[in-house]
Amino acid sequence: MQIESLAWWGPARIVLSGRDAWEVRSWPDGVLVDAGAGLAVPCPDGQRWAVAMSDRVEIDGVRHLLPGFIQARSGCWWRDGVCIVRTDPRGGGKVSEIWWVTAAQGPVRLLTAVQGSRFFSVAATGDDLFVTLYTDGDSRTAHTMRILNLRGVQDAADATPDLPGSVHQVILMSERRQVALWSQDPNLSQQVLIRGDHGGETFTPELRVAGLCQRIDDRQLLIPAYDGIRIGMILLAVDDASWRWALRDPAASIFPFAVADGEVAALRRPVDGSPTLVSVRDGTTHDVVARDQSTPPARVHRWNGPAGPLEGLVVTPPGPGPWPLVVDVHGGPNHELVAGFEHQLQRWRRAGFAALAPEYAAAGIGGSRRRSSAWMNSGPPHTDPNVEDVASAIAASGTAAIASSVFLFGWSWGGFVVN
């Protein structure tokens, strides 16, 4: 199972979820307690449990059927039941809806997305239910992410109507303070916007946010953020918008993670080796249980690009180099090259090639200004920041005696760069 998320189920159990499977492990010894298929939705207090399948929801041991065969992609406990986001994976999610299920009353459809939009996730804070809505763009408009505050059946309103652009997450820190993960343009770096009861707004420095934030208490927030091509954790103090790296590891990404009562559980994903479930306290990790999975071996390759330090992943065949090198330019470009996650470089190595996946400007590694230029560049290819970064990677591979000859390969955005 490729782990995509962690969730607490009371203080002594942690739930590890993949695309359509889950397992429960005791905490902190990591013993396997249970496992199954579908979307697991544990209640944080440890008292209740639900699992959503394509056609049903089982809540507190009671099964309720849902119409159609639609993938359950997100869920949370809200009021006296479970809210589930269901999206048809065929045809770009043409059917997207939110259901609320209680053990006693059964399922109620709360909201259906209009054509050209779909729901991503749900999260609850007390009586407030926040829904992430994605709206497709076209040749004239960019796609947007907005957060809806859902109060009941067909009763939803934009949670931040005064904010332009894309809002990726809203968190209620207290009755008087709200935090929004926001970007004025969906292609630009996300910022953390702190909004007080007097209408005050404070921006944190721009970060390459790597996922949704989690509230520690009413004054602290844990934010996953990129550190080069790795993911670490930033601790944000909302009183003064100060922040620091709470956890960073030069040899691994720390993601996903889950927070409850000051305890943080996280998955440490090394560049080469087996991921490990760890307990995080005071910025240090303590091994809990080793996972029975592995990341394909690679190493981090560093070089100086035209605008500063750059990084990528590289694999090489056995024996001395240099070798014929495939420069494999990733697509996306967002969140597509992360140390410790599955990559495809081994296919080249098995065929006798060295392979390098370079990070480049449009993914954000050179900062938000360079990223914006890389998205909007309309000049000749030699002025494109993405091309500059990939060209510098090729030059550096020759200097490092990795490449005897070079072959370019890219897909999606990487294909644009190769062309």
Side-chain angles (χ1 to χ4, degrees):
M1 180 180 69
Q2 188 70 28
I3 299 171
E4 297 182 353
S5 65
L6 301 178
W8 288 99
W9 187 24
R13 290 169 293 189
I14 194 80
V15 181
L16 297 74
S17 297
R19 186 170 297 274
D20 193 35
W22 52 268
E23 59 184 45
V24 180
R25 290 185 175 265
S26 59
W27 188 266
D29 52 4
V31 175
L32 182 65
V33 175
D34 198 4
L39 173 71
V41 189
C43 189
D45 64 11
Q47 301 301 312
R48 307 184 68 184
W49 173 262
V51 175
M53 309 290 283
S54 61
D55 61 344
R56 64 187 183 275
V57 172
E58 297 179 6
I59 175 172
D60 298 337
V62 180
R63 176 179 296 185
H64 294 282
L65 297 179
L66 295 177
F69 290 86
I70 304 177
Q71 182 181 16
R73 58 173 303 133
S74 175
C76 70
W77 285 85
W78 181 57
R79 295 178 178 171
D80 192 39
V82 171
C83 274
I84 302 293
V85 174
R86 303 175 74 222
T87 299
D88 188 344
R90 301 163 296 178
K94 291 181 179 179
V95 178
S96 187
E97 54 194 22
I98 298 174
W99 286 78
W100 182 51
V101 185
T102 62
Q105 299 179 3
V108 176
R109 180 161 32 202
L110 295 180
L111 203 61
T112 300
V114 300
Q115 186 175 4
S117 64
R118 55 192 179 274
F119 302 120
F120 265 19
S121 61
V122 285
T125 303
D127 201 44
D128 290 281
L129 181 69
F130 294 110
V131 180
T132 308
L133 176 69
Y134 177 95
T135 301
D136 294 327
D138 54 30
S139 59
R140 300 178 305 279
T141 61
H143 70 265
T144 58
M145 302 281 285
R146 302 298 299 182
I147 303 298
L148 305 181
N149 192 335
L150 185 59
R151 294 288 185 174
V153 179
Q154 304 300 321
D155 181 12
D158 196 318
T160 54
D162 57 316
L163 284 182
S166 283
V167 181
H168 305 261
Q169 186 181 15
V170 170
I171 298 176
L172 297 181
M173 302 299 292
S174 65
E175 291 183 0
R176 296 184 175 182
R177 183 176 284 153
Q178 177 194 81
V179 170
L181 190 59
W182 172 77
S183 55
Q184 190 164 358
D185 185 294
N187 298 331
L188 302 181
S189 298
Q190 299 171 17
Q191 293 180 309
V192 180
L193 174 61
I194 304 169
R195 299 151 66 84
D197 58 346
H198 300 296
E201 298 179 352
T202 305
F203 293 90
T204 65
E206 292 189 6
L207 308 168
R208 292 177 65 208
V209 178
L212 297 182
C213 312
Q214 293 197 34
R215 180 182 181 275
I216 297 178
D217 52 39
D218 60 0
R219 293 188 172 184
Q220 297 183 97
L221 200 65
L222 205 57
I223 305 172
Y226 283 97
D227 180 20
I229 60 171
R230 291 158 299 277
I231 297 176
M233 296 184 194
I234 284 175
L235 185 66
L236 171 70
V238 298
D239 286 341
D240 59 3
S242 63
W243 63 272
R244 64 176 176 84
W245 283 101
L247 188 67
R248 63 198 306 191
D249 188 331
S253 289
I254 311 295
F255 192 80
F257 65 101
V259 180
D261 297 327
E263 174 76 292
V264 180
L267 195 67
R268 180 183 182 272
R269 299 179 183 267
V271 176
D272 182 3
S274 298
T276 304
L277 191 64
V278 297
S279 171
V280 182
R281 306 186 197 97
D282 302 323
T284 60
T285 61
H286 310 271
D287 286 347
V288 175
V289 60
R291 302 293 307 141
D292 54 353
Q293 56 179 308
S294 62
T295 301
R299 66 179 186 272
V300 176
H301 181 58
R302 299 178 177 87
W303 71 97
N304 286 321
L310 292 172
E311 292 184 324
L313 292 177
V314 67
V315 297
T316 54
W323 306 269
L325 173 70
V326 171
V327 178
D328 192 335
V329 188
H330 69 80
N334 301 325
H335 318 316
E336 294 294 332
L337 183 65
V338 185
F341 283 72
E342 180 68 29
H343 55 73
Q344 301 297 321
L345 298 183
Q346 288 302 309
R347 58 186 175 180
W348 302 115
R349 183 178 183 271
R350 287 193 294 267
F353 295 91
L356 169 65
E359 191 64 299
Y360 51 88
I365 194 169
S368 60
R369 182 173 300 179
R370 185 169 171 81
R371 180 184 185 188
S372 178
S373 176
W375 277 87
M376 306 302 177
N377 188 278
S378 58
H382 70 275
T383 67
D384 187 313
N386 304 304
V387 174
E388 292 179 337
D389 289 348
V390 173
S392 71
I394 294 171
S397 67
T399 303
I402 296 174
S404 60
S405 55
V406 174
F407 302 86
L408 284 174
F409 177 89
W411 64 276
S412 191
W413 191 289
F416 301 153
V417 176
V418 168
N419 286 340

